[in-house]
Every structure is written in C-alpha cells, then in structure tokens.
Amino acid sequence: MDGEDTHFVIVAITANRIAAPSSAGVAGKSKYRYDVCLSFRGEDTSHSYTVHLHDALCRKGINAFIDDEKLGKGERISPTLLKAIEKSRISIIVFSKNYATSTWCLDELVRIIQCKKEKNQLVMPLFYNVDPMDVQNQRNSFGDAMAALEDRLRDDWKKVRKWRSALSEAASLSSAWLLEDGYGCGFIEKIVEDVYAMLPPKCLHCREYMVGLEPRIEMMKSLLDHSNDGICMLGIYGTGGIEKTTLADRLCGIVHLWQTLLTEILEEKNTRFGSVDKGISRIKHRLSHKSSIGS
C-alpha cells in the first residue's frame, strides 16, 4: 500500500490455542431442492421472456429450475420437471396466449396446484400479454383451447375438468404479475425482488459458547490501541475451524463487511441481518446458487 500512515497487521492463530466447542447438532436437510420452478409454454415465451427471467433469478443467487427440453416445442412433459415442481418453494406460472393448448402445461399446472394444497407451496402466476380474466373464466384463446380439448377428450371429461379448475384457481391468486409491454428489465427486476423477498433465510447451526476467545480479543485490541497512525486493514491467519470468523466479528464488525458484500455483488437492497450466523446463512444461500452468467 502507498503512504506511511497505512498499516497492515496479520495475526496468526494456531489450532492449539483456541478450543472449539463440539457441535450441538446439525440442522436436517431441507425438503426443498430449488427456490423457484418455472412453468411456461416454450413456443410462446422461451426466447422472448422466460430465459431472461431465469437468468435474472440466477444472477440474484436464487436457485431457479427451468426445463431445458422445454425450450424447444414444449410438447413433452419430463419426470424431471414434475420432480422439480415438488421440490420447489415457489412455482412461477407464465400464462401466455397458447398456454392452454398444451396438455403438458395443463398437467404441470394441476401438479402445481396440488403442491400448493398439499405442501403449502407458493404459487405466483405471471400473465404474459394475457388478460387474467381470460385464464380464470377460460375466455378467448383459453376458451377456444379448452373447447377443443373437450371435443378431443370426450371420454376423459374428468381430466378436462381438472384442467379448468386449475386454471381458474391459479388465475385468481393475488400474488400475480401482469406483463403487457415485453420483457423490460425493470419488470424482470421487480419479479426477482418480489421472489427474493419471499424466500426465507436458511439457518445454520449457531455455537453458543466460544472457549478461549476473550484473551485473544483483548490482545488484538491492545495491538490496535497502540497504533498511533490508525489501522487500515487487519488480517487474521490460521487453520480452519479455530473461530477466526467469530474473532473478526467481535473485533472488526464483519457483519458490516458482509452487508457491503451482498449489496455490491447481489445488488441486494435490504442487507440488514444483525448477526454473524444470519450473515453466513444469507451469503451461503445466495452465492451457492449464483450463476456465472454475465450481467
């Protein structure tokens, strides 16, 4: 670094000087594999909207599932997609003009509504240049599609009735977005922020008792207090698992550092989490699913 008033202090901590407490337990594995699952009609939205939405979710660190096989014609339902629906916290249904012409999309929709009822899954409809009332009451393109299916499946009217019921229920949900002017960045950003706000932080195990840290903290403080010119950077070096992070938090305010990290990397507006453990949870969850896709 430049300048005589800048100091860099490295404190080395060896494993035998701090006794780390044993773990009191490890949280169970989450029942969710994905944060979000996208249901859409591939021919209608894959290139003009859904891919952009998926990429934006990934850049935010949201673990979003998209069925790559559906980016073609969208006429083949996959077991992978059905499993993804069941293992997702939130399902986003992109209703487009020809959504109801695909029996596969309708089958997905029925499963999503089932997961909403059975697993308390969040369902968020997005109306892509479609009137929500057309979906809810099966009018216009949705009415034509359902009438054609009824005519084609006269011997399976129960299935058609399930489709109609699922369409009506999904379209009546209050947590919905209405898109009429393309896939503007502002609108996608709004969706991403709404989804992000609905995802709960993942809690990690918190160690309540830190043995042997107080003397080290006092020693560190004495080093800082004896610096006449001020300390610009403090490095703590040591092997893993000896509470370097906890020491840094109590000494240097690492919570503030993590809040800055989340703000600059993930463009997260609300970064106040108040404790080290919540900070660890937030960073681990968001960065573990952050895509390498460029902005």
Side-chain angles (χ1 to χ4, degrees), residues 25-32 89 202-205:
V26 179
K29 186 178 180 181
S30 173
K31 62 180 179 180
Y32 300 108
R89 291 181 181 274
K202 294 184 177 180
C203 297
L204 301 180
H205 172 65

Side-chain angles (χ1 to χ4, degrees), residues 11 40 54 92 121 129 146 167 226-227 229 288-290 294:
V11 177
F40 60 98
H54 175 260
I92 296 179
Q121 184 186 83
N129 294 323
M146 296 311 296
L167 285 168
H226 291 162
S227 175
D229 298 322
S288 65
H289 301 302
K290 184 171 175 60

Side-chain angles (χ1 to χ4, degrees), residues 245 248-250 252-262 271-280 283:
T245 299
D249 170 59
R250 297 188 180 189
C252 306
I254 200 170
V255 170
H256 175 72
L257 177 61
W258 285 346
Q259 289 171 344
T260 302
L261 175 68
L262 286 171
T271 58
R272 298 182 62 85
F273 37 73
S275 73
V276 172
D277 299 290
K278 290 182 179 179
I280 292 174
I283 289 176

Side-chain angles (χ1 to χ4, degrees), residues 29-78:
K29 186 178 180 181
S30 173
K31 62 180 179 180
Y32 300 108
R33 183 175 179 183
Y34 303 100
D35 294 324
V36 174
C37 181
L38 293 169
S39 174
F40 60 98
R41 173 78 163 131
E43 289 181 332
D44 286 357
T45 67
S46 62
H47 297 294
S48 60
Y49 186 81
T50 312
V51 168
H52 298 281
L53 174 58
H54 175 260
D55 290 351
L57 290 167
C58 291
R59 285 195 298 271
K60 187 69 174 179
I62 297 171
N63 187 15
F65 176 88
I66 189 170
D67 189 0
D68 293 334
E69 294 180 0
K70 206 183 216 187
L71 296 179
K73 295 183 178 180
E75 285 298 329
R76 185 167 68 89
I77 195 169
S78 70

Side-chain angles (χ1 to χ4, degrees), residues 2-129:
D2 297 329
E4 296 181 354
D5 294 334
T6 301
H7 296 269
F8 182 77
V9 175
I10 298 179
V11 177
I13 305 177
T14 56
N16 61 348
R17 296 184 66 186
I18 294 182
S22 60
S23 174
V26 179
K29 186 178 180 181
S30 173
K31 62 180 179 180
Y32 300 108
R33 183 175 179 183
Y34 303 100
D35 294 324
V36 174
C37 181
L38 293 169
S39 174
F40 60 98
R41 173 78 163 131
E43 289 181 332
D44 286 357
T45 67
S46 62
H47 297 294
S48 60
Y49 186 81
T50 312
V51 168
H52 298 281
L53 174 58
H54 175 260
D55 290 351
L57 290 167
C58 291
R59 285 195 298 271
K60 187 69 174 179
I62 297 171
N63 187 15
F65 176 88
I66 189 170
D67 189 0
D68 293 334
E69 294 180 0
K70 206 183 216 187
L71 296 179
K73 295 183 178 180
E75 285 298 329
R76 185 167 68 89
I77 195 169
S78 70
T80 302
L81 176 57
L82 291 178
K83 196 69 175 178
I85 292 172
E86 297 171 2
K87 292 293 185 179
S88 297
R89 291 181 181 274
I90 299 173
S91 280
I92 296 179
I93 309 165
V94 185
F95 285 118
S96 54
K97 183 178 179 180
N98 297 310
Y99 184 92
T101 63
S102 170
T103 58
W104 312 117
C105 286
L106 294 171
D107 284 340
E108 291 170 22
L109 179 62
V110 169
R111 186 62 190 131
I112 288 171
I113 296 301
Q114 289 175 343
C115 288
K116 175 181 177 293
K117 296 176 179 178
E118 298 171 3
K119 303 175 180 293
N120 202 29
Q121 184 186 83
L122 293 175
V123 178
M124 307 178 75
L126 191 159
F127 299 97
Y128 182 83
N129 294 323

